[in-house]
């Protein structure tokens, strides 16, 4: 989670007439996106909403709450609803008011921006189906509000029980807005995970944050300030996760002069505390820490995990050596099968198109960078046995007055592609179909057998070329479409099931070309290739 607060130069509590606006969002449901559902983001958002209303005394009329559990369509956490709510909040706020945005869900980034993800997310068109942080920032910079507070719990489900804000060199560029009066509290270092606790039903950092707002982070004067809350949350999150063997150290960066009071005690009568906050209040921090008295409970949990519902091992390799040997055999069988089928289809396509088949490194396949971005945003990121590669680039720093002719450059690393690890086999077979007529698209299908943490994945994707202004074809990044991604059973010793699954590979390739030749012809006619008037 990332917490940011901006305070105006005038310190102190807002005037009585001031309004405090908020947009609170929680997304668990990522079905059909190719990334994993989350467990506790909706619970985090709901508890945070209740904490704002109950402990911080926000007016519910000024708070927009969007979550998967909402029954109203305009309260679902869709891309358009979220952006509309932020824009409305920013427009309504005056110089006496404050604004707050909280998001709990998946997050990712590419070479251009960082993104908050909703159910509409599609890996092949990230920018068009996600919420760019630059857009969020632009909305939140518009109002004259005295205070701006932002909370991001943008998660990857790299493994069960962990969540992490989008990692990598660009996180500060898009998630941490620098400037006078900003305070940033991040759930963990960039090389760590932000962990969830099924026992709590919350992220550990979120739990500590809400626990702090409930009064545990209060100063001797009975005030929960942004600094007392930050100190409390950092200390408790670090202690809990260290005791659990899951190191997680929140990081604080601040450009804040003065302090900001978030809540005062006593803020609410016990009978008025919503049920969503009761569990948080009744759970003591010490109850989460391992003790000798809890060992029988831990043994029961181990027994339940290992014996009551054991994992199916049909898809698990017995060793790393078996995994790599099996992968090599499968890729070669796929290549030989594709070669055997190629002659038949080339004969049928004679004088129309030609199919070529290559076995090669996945790094040499079309749209390698876009495939890397897809993997980085997917649930298999931590499990896949491929290596994401990065490159260094220099960009002009925005902190220098360019209008005066002064330039300062900063170095950053950006995602550059994906490739096999050293010593691994060439994992991909590429089928490419090219017409003999000019100005027609090139289509490609890639089949890859990829090592994973436990076995092998079958990956199949397609892509298409587009025509540029100098009559050359280039691979269009928007056309990347992952068609197959699943584990391969090690019980299928001969690879029969995998080859049967690929029986329609050539018909798919030919159909893909047919559809796109028709579309290209229509496009060329629309831009005047037949000499008709375009007026």
């Amino acid at each position: 989670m990332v917490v940011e607060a901006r305070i105006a130069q005038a310190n102190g509590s807002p005037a009585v007439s001031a309004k405090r606006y908020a947009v609170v969002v929680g997304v668990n449901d990522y079905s059909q996106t190719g990334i994993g559902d989350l467990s506790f983001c909706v619970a985090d958002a709901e508890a945070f909403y209740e904490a704002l209303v109950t402990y911080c005394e926000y007016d519910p009329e000024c708070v927009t709450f969007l979550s998967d559990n909402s029954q109203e369509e305009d309260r679902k956490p869709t891309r358009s609803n979220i952006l509309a709510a932020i824009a409305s909040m920013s427009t309504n706020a005056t110089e006496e008011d404050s604004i707050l945005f909280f998001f709990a869900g998946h997050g990712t980034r590419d070479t251009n921006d960082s993104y908050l993800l909703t159910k509409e997310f599609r890996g092949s068109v990230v920018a068009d189906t996600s919420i760019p942080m630059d857009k969020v920032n632009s909305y939140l910079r518009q109002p004259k509000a005295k205070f701006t507070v932002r909370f991001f719990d943008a998660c990857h489900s790299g493994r069960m029980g962990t969540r992490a804000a989008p990692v990598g060199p660009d996180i500060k560029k898009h998630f941490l807005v620098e400037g006078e009066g900003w305070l940033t509290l991040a759930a963990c270092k960039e090389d760590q995970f932000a962990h969830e606790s099924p026992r709590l039903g919350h992220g550990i950092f979120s739990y500590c944050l809400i626990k702090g707002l409930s009064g545990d982070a209060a100063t001797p004067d009975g005030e929960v300030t942004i600094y007392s809350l930050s100190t409390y949350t950092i200390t408790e999150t670090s202690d809990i996760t260290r005791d659990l063997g899951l190191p997680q150290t929140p990081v604080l960066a601040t450009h804040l002069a003065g302090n900001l009071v978030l809540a005062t005690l006593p803020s609410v009568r016990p009978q008025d505390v919503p049920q969503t906050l009761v569990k948080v209040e009744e759970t003591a921090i010490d109850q989460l820490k391992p003790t000798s008295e809890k060992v029988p409970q831990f043994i029961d949990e181990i027994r339940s995990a290992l014996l009551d519902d054991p994992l199916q091992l049909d898809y698990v390799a017995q060793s790393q050596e078996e995994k790599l040997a099996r992968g090599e055999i499968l890729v070669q069988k796929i290549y030989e099968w594709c070669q055997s089928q190629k002659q038949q289809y080339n004969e049928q396509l004679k004088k129309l198109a030609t199919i070529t088949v290559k076995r090669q490194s996945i790094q040499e396949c079309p749209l390698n960078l876009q495939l890397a971005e897809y993997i980085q945003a997917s649930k298999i990121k931590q499990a896949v046995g491929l290596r994401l590669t990065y490159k260094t680039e220099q960009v002009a720093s925005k902190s220098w007055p360019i209008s005066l002719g002064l330039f300062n450059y900063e170095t950053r690393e950006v995602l550059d592609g994906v490739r096999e690890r050293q010593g691994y086999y060439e994992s991909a077979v590429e089928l490419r179909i090219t017409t003999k007529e000019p100005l027609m698209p090139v289509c490609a299908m890639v089949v890859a057998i990829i090592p994973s943490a436990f076995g092998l994945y079958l990956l199949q994707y397609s892509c298409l070329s587009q025509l540029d202004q100098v009559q050359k074809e280039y691979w269009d990044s928007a056309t990347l479409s992952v068609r197959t991604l699943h584990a391969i059973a090690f019980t299928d010793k001969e690879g029969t099931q995998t080859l049967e699954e690929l029986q329609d590979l050539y018909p798919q390739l030919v159909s893909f070309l047919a559809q796109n030749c028709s579309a290209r012809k229509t496009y060329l006619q629309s831009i005047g290739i037949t000499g008709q008037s375009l007026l």
Side-chain angles (χ1 to χ4, degrees), residues 400-535:
W400 281 62
I402 296 177
S403 60
L404 299 178
L406 301 176
F407 292 89
N408 184 38
Y409 290 91
E410 58 185 26
T411 299
R412 65 180 183 184
E413 290 187 342
V414 297
L415 189 64
D416 189 42
V418 61
R419 68 183 184 187
E420 291 88 358
R421 295 182 182 276
Q422 186 174 2
Y424 283 22
Y425 56 87
E426 290 186 333
S427 61
V429 176
E430 179 193 340
L431 287 75
R432 186 177 300 191
I433 185 168
T434 308
T435 68
K436 297 184 179 181
E437 294 296 319
L439 305 182
M440 287 293 111
V442 179
C443 299
M445 291 274 192
V446 175
V447 180
I449 303 297
I450 302 172
S452 73
F454 59 87
L456 297 169
Y457 290 125
L458 171 64
L459 168 71
Q460 179 189 346
Y461 74 89
S462 61
C463 57
L464 175 72
S465 71
Q466 292 291 355
L467 184 67
D468 66 12
Q469 290 81 7
V470 294
Q471 260 179 274
K472 292 184 178 180
E473 297 287 334
Y474 67 94
W475 294 112
D476 183 359
S477 61
T479 66
L480 176 76
S481 176
V482 176
R483 296 170 174 245
T484 302
L485 179 58
H486 63 72
I488 295 172
F490 274 74
T491 52
D492 180 25
K493 299 295 185 182
E494 302 300 322
T496 305
Q497 294 177 5
T498 300
L499 292 178
E500 286 179 353
E501 190 171 349
L502 298 176
Q503 289 302 310
D504 292 334
L505 184 62
Y506 274 95
Q508 289 176 12
L509 182 64
V510 175
S511 171
F512 191 36
L513 179 65
Q515 295 170 12
N516 286 288
C517 280
S518 296
R520 177 66 66 85
K521 182 178 179 181
T522 300
Y523 165 71
L524 292 172
Q525 289 172 340
S526 73
I527 61 173
I529 196 170
T530 58
Q532 76 274 24
S533 173
L534 299 175
L535 300 179

Side-chain angles (χ1 to χ4, degrees), residues 228-250:
S228 70
L229 179 64
S230 299
T231 301
Y232 172 87
T233 304
I234 291 171
T235 301
E236 296 301 334
T237 301
S238 300
D239 288 349
I240 292 171
T241 55
R242 182 182 63 248
D243 290 342
L244 293 173
L246 305 169
Q248 177 184 334
T249 307

Side-chain angles (χ1 to χ4, degrees), residues 20-24 49-50 52-54 56-65 75 274:
R20 294 186 290 177
Y21 294 96
V23 174
V24 180
Y49 165 81
E50 295 290 3
L52 286 182
V53 174
T54 304
C56 303
E57 300 181 351
Y58 271 64
D59 181 353
E61 294 296 320
C62 295
V63 183
T64 301
F65 179 45
R75 289 294 182 264

Side-chain angles (χ1 to χ4, degrees), residues 128-139:
D128 295 328
T129 58
S130 308
I131 301 176
M133 281 307 306
D134 277 351
K135 182 175 286 293
V136 173
N137 292 344
S138 68
Y139 283 136

